[in-house]
Amino acid sequence: MNEVIGIMLLGGALLVFSILASVLSNRLGAPLLLVFLCIGMLAGEDGILGVEFDNPQLSFFIGSLALAIILFDGGMRTHKERFRVALWPAISLSTLGVALTCTITAAGTVWLFELPWPTALLIGALLSSTDAAAVFGIFQSRGVTLKQRVASTLEIESGTNDPMAVILTMTLTTALATGASLDLLSLGTDVLWQLVIGLIAGWLGGQAFIQLVRRIPLDFTFVPLLAAASAILVFSLTAKANASGFLAVYLMGYLIGNARLPQIVHILQVQDGLTWLGQILMFLILGLLVTPSHLMDNAALSLSIALILIFVARPIATLVCLLPFAFPWREQLFISWVGLRGAVPIILALYPWLSGLEDQALYFDVAFFVVLISLLVQGWTMTPLARWLGLEVPPTPEPTQRLPLETLPSGDPLEVWAFPINKDSLAFEHRWEELSFTHQPCFVGIIRNHAWIQAEHTQQFVDGDCVLVMGRAADMDSVSRVLASSDKARQLQESDFFGAFSLHASLSLGEVAQFYPLGELPQEKAALSLSDFFARKFHRRVVVGDYLHVGSVTLTVRQVDSNGNIESVGIKES
C-alpha cells in the first residue's frame, strides 16, 4: 500500500509541477514539450529525485495511447476547407517526404560514421515524422496565427506521416531482428494494406459514432467520454489488424469534427484536456526512461544526425515535395524549418528496444537527443521566423466561450456565445440596437460586475462587460467580427495587416486604378477582377493573408468563403 501511495504521490506531484511550469514556459517562449521532458529527466535516475525507471513496455503503452488521443483531437480540429489548399502538398510530404527524409538522413550517417545501411535507415525512419501538436502549442502560447496554407499543410502532414514512419520502422526493425533482406514488393504491399485498412476503419468508426450520437439520447456529459473511448477502440482494432491505427483515429476525428454535431463543443473541450494530459504523461515518462549520462556516449553521432536532419534532409524533402504545387518561397522555407520532432520518434525508438536488437539503447538515445535539439533549435526560433517571413495573419475573431443548445432542422446547432468587451471592440460604448450584423443574433444580456443585466434593460457596453448572445453556429464568424475584442499586446491587428479599407473581390484592377496608384496596367491585366488576379498568381490555392504588390500599393486577401472564392481584399500603400 505504501508503495502504491508513493507512486501516486510522485505522479501527482510531477503533473502539478508540469502544469504550473507551463506558465513560466509561455513567458520565456520555450516549447512546453521541452519543459515536460526536462522535468521527467530531473526526476529520473540522474536527476534530483533519482527515480529509477526502466520499463519500455509501460512507456510504449502510455505513449501509444496518448498519441491516439492526440491524433484523434487533431483530426477533429481539421476543418474540411483546409484540405482545399493543403491536402495533396501534405500527402506528398507525409509519404515521399518521409521516405526522402529517412534516406537522406541515413546516407549522411553512413557517410560520416560508416554505420551499416540497415542501422542508418532505421535511425532515419525513427526520425522521419513531425509533431504538429508541438508546433501549434508554441504558436498558441505566443498568440501567433499562421496563414492557412502553411498551417494546414503542417497539420495534415503531421496527422498523416506517422503511419509511414511506423511502417518503415516496423519493417526495418523486423529485418534487423530476423536478418532478412528488405523486399521492396512486400514493403509496398504492407504500406498499401496499412493505409487502406486504416482509412476504412477510420471512416467506419467515424460514421458509427456520428449515427450513435444522433440516434441515442446520451447525456452531454457522456458524449466526450464516448468519443475518447471510441477512438481508443478503433485504434486498437485497426492495430490488431496490422493496419495504421494512427491514420484511422485521425480520419475518425476529422469526420466527427465536421459532422455539425451539437455536442462537438463539449467534445472538443474535454479532448483539449485529455490531449494535454496525454502529452504531459507521455513526455514525463519518456524523460524518466532516459538516462541523461548515457546520452553523452553517442553525443557526436546524435548531434551530427540532428544537423543533417534539420539543415539537409528536411529542406531537400520539402523542396522536392512542394515543387509541383508552386508554394511561395517564404512558405517553403518555413515549412522546411518547422519539421519539428516530438514524441513520435522517441516512441518509435522503443520498437528496437522491445524487439531486442543489438545496440538497442543506441536508437533510443539518438532519437531522444535529436528531439531535444529539435525542440531547442527549431522550437525557440519558429515564432520569430514566422513573423520575419510575413506568414502571421490576424487571428479569426471568436467568442471566449461557446455553449451548444439544440440542433435546428437545418442541421445547424444553436449556441450561446460570450464576448468580453474592451476598448478595442467595435461594440465598445454602443448599445445593442446600434450594432449592425450580417446575420442578426438574439441578445441575451450583459454580465457586469458579476451580475446579469437582462436584454430588456439594455445599456451602453463598457470596458469589462461580457455580452451574451444566441445564434446559429454557422453565423458565429460574422457575429464575432462585431463583438469580439482583440489583444493588441500579443496579436497582429487587422488594420495594420490588411489596411484600413477593403475592396470587393469582383472589382477589376482597372476600376481600382481609378482611385489608387497601381501604375500602368496592360489592357488584359486591367480587365481582370481582383479575385481572378490572385487566382492566377496562386494557382487557385488562395488563402487569407496572400498578398501582391501592384504599383505602390499592396493588395491582401481579407476574406475567403468555404469554396475558396475571394470575397474581399484589403488595400494599403506599400
Side-chain angles (χ1 to χ4, degrees):
M1 178 64 73
N2 287 334
E3 185 177 346
V4 171
I5 292 175
I7 294 173
M8 292 171 62
L9 177 63
L10 175 64
L14 287 176
L15 280 173
V16 169
F17 190 70
S18 298
I19 293 168
L20 294 178
S22 66
V23 178
L24 179 62
S25 168
N26 288 342
R27 291 182 179 178
L28 296 176
L32 269 177
L33 304 186
L34 177 63
V35 174
F36 301 149
L37 269 181
C38 290
I39 291 174
M41 293 168 68
L42 287 172
E45 187 176 343
D46 287 349
I48 299 171
L49 299 182
V51 176
E52 294 187 10
F53 179 77
D54 187 20
N55 193 332
Q57 290 85 358
L58 178 61
S59 301
F60 185 76
F61 169 75
I62 292 176
S64 299
L65 193 64
L67 284 175
I69 293 295
I70 291 167
L71 284 170
F72 179 60
D73 180 75
M76 284 196 292
R77 296 178 193 276
T78 302
H79 300 296
K80 58 184 179 183
E81 60 267 18
R82 296 193 175 186
F83 284 89
R84 173 184 63 84
V85 297
L87 176 60
W88 295 115
I91 293 297
S92 177
L93 284 167
S94 65
T95 52
L96 177 60
V98 166
L100 285 173
T101 301
C102 172
T103 305
I104 295 169
T105 303
T109 306
V110 170
W111 181 59
L112 288 176
F113 295 93
E114 299 182 352
L115 288 180
W117 265 102
T119 301
L121 282 171
L122 180 53
I123 291 174
L126 295 175
L127 299 169
S128 58
S129 68
T130 57
D131 191 336
V135 173
F136 291 104
I138 293 170
F139 285 125
Q140 186 178 14
S141 68
R142 305 303 295 166
V144 174
T145 303
L146 287 177
K147 288 178 67 172
Q148 186 190 45
R149 182 169 45 246
V150 176
S152 300
T153 301
L154 291 170
E155 186 175 346
I156 299 172
E157 177 203 2
S158 65
T160 54
N161 67 6
D162 292 340
M164 189 70 175
V166 170
I167 293 166
L168 288 175
T169 299
M170 292 179 66
T171 303
L172 290 165
T173 300
T174 302
L176 281 170
T178 60
S181 59
L182 290 176
D183 183 357
L184 293 180
L185 179 61
S186 62
L187 176 61
T189 304
D190 190 27
V191 169
L192 189 62
W193 170 266
Q194 293 236 19
L195 295 180
V196 171
I197 301 302
L199 288 171
I200 292 173
W203 188 86
L204 290 174
Q207 294 298 335
F209 178 83
I210 293 166
Q211 295 304 320
L212 189 66
V213 169
R214 284 176 173 167
R215 295 174 186 274
I216 298 179
L218 281 174
D219 189 279
F220 267 80
T221 307
F222 290 108
V223 176
L225 300 178
L226 178 65
S230 300
I232 294 170
L233 178 62
V234 169
F235 172 81
S236 305
L237 289 173
T238 310
K240 193 74 174 174
N242 295 319
S244 176
F246 296 119
L247 182 59
V249 292
Y250 181 79
L251 178 59
M252 179 182 176
Y254 169 76
L255 293 173
I256 294 171
N258 289 275
R260 300 169 76 178
L261 296 172
Q263 303 94 335
I264 191 62
V265 176
H266 285 298
I267 295 174
L268 288 174
Q269 287 173 343
V270 174
Q271 273 294 132
D272 197 34
L274 289 176
T275 299
W276 275 114
L277 178 62
Q279 291 194 76
I280 292 172
L281 285 174
M282 180 168 53
F283 276 86
L284 281 178
I285 201 165
L286 292 174
L288 282 170
L289 186 62
V290 74
T291 304
S293 58
H294 293 171
L295 294 179
M296 302 312 297
D297 296 340
N298 299 297
L301 172 63
S302 302
L303 182 59
S304 300
I305 291 173
L307 294 176
I308 293 169
L309 184 67
I310 294 171
F311 294 102
V312 181
R314 174 68 179 185
I316 292 176
T318 302
L319 177 64
V320 172
C321 292
L322 297 184
L323 193 60
F325 304 103
F327 269 53
W329 70 268
R330 294 173 184 270
E331 297 178 14
Q332 291 191 50
L333 174 61
F334 185 76
I335 291 171
S336 71
W337 181 251
V338 187
L340 195 67
R341 268 56 196 176
V344 176
I346 307 176
I347 298 296
L348 292 182
L350 294 173
Y351 275 116
W353 193 338
L354 295 172
S355 300
L357 290 187
E358 267 187 67
D359 298 324
Q360 58 191 24
L362 169 70
Y363 301 104
F364 184 80
D365 290 346
V366 167
F368 198 98
F369 197 104
V370 171
V371 168
L372 280 178
I373 295 296
S374 179
L375 289 172
L376 282 167
V377 176
Q378 295 169 293
W380 237 308
T381 57
M382 64 175 64
T383 298
L385 181 63
R387 286 175 169 157
W388 180 69
L389 291 173
L391 302 180
E392 182 187 11
V393 297
T396 303
E398 59 184 12
T400 55
Q401 295 184 57
R402 298 172 60 185
L403 177 64
L405 298 177
E406 188 55 79
T407 301
L408 298 172
S410 62
D412 283 329
L414 273 178
E415 297 182 354
V416 173
W417 305 312
F419 293 96
I421 301 296
N422 61 32
K423 295 179 180 179
D424 298 321
S425 172
L426 294 176
F428 178 64
E429 294 185 343
H430 287 280
R431 295 177 180 272
W432 176 260
E433 54 269 21
E434 296 173 351
L435 302 177
S436 177
F437 297 92
T438 306
H439 302 92
Q440 187 69 32
C442 175
F443 179 42
V444 178
I446 308 170
I447 304 295
R448 179 179 295 172
N449 298 324
H450 308 291
W452 177 30
I453 302 174
Q454 298 185 37
E456 57 266 28
H457 306 297
T458 181
Q459 299 182 21
Q460 194 176 69
F461 301 140
V462 299
D463 192 7
D465 282 352
C466 182
V467 176
L468 303 177
V469 297
M470 183 175 69
R472 299 184 307 168
D475 300 335
M476 188 185 73
D477 289 345
S478 63
V479 175
S480 298
R481 291 190 176 279
V482 178
L483 293 176
S485 303
S486 62
D487 183 354
K488 282 192 172 181
R490 301 178 69 212
Q491 298 173 351
L492 185 63
Q493 300 302 301
E494 287 197 358
S495 58
D496 296 333
F497 186 79
F498 297 110
F501 300 99
S502 292
L503 306 173
H504 197 277
S506 62
L507 289 173
S508 69
L509 285 173
E511 291 172 321
V512 176
Q514 296 177 19
F515 303 96
Y516 295 95
L518 302 188
E520 283 194 33
L521 296 174
Q523 188 173 0
E524 181 185 354
K525 188 175 181 180
L528 288 174
S529 68
L530 294 174
S531 178
D532 290 337
F533 182 50
F534 273 93
R536 288 191 181 189
K537 292 289 185 179
F538 289 92
H539 301 272
R540 301 198 176 280
R541 288 190 178 89
V542 183
V543 297
V544 172
D546 282 338
Y547 63 89
L548 294 170
H549 298 293
V550 186
S552 58
V553 302
T554 301
L555 299 170
T556 308
V557 177
R558 186 162 192 157
Q559 285 182 290
V560 178
D561 65 18
S562 58
N563 296 318
N565 300 314
I566 304 175
E567 294 182 338
S568 66
V569 175
I571 186 167
K572 64 179 181 179
E573 291 189 13
S574 301

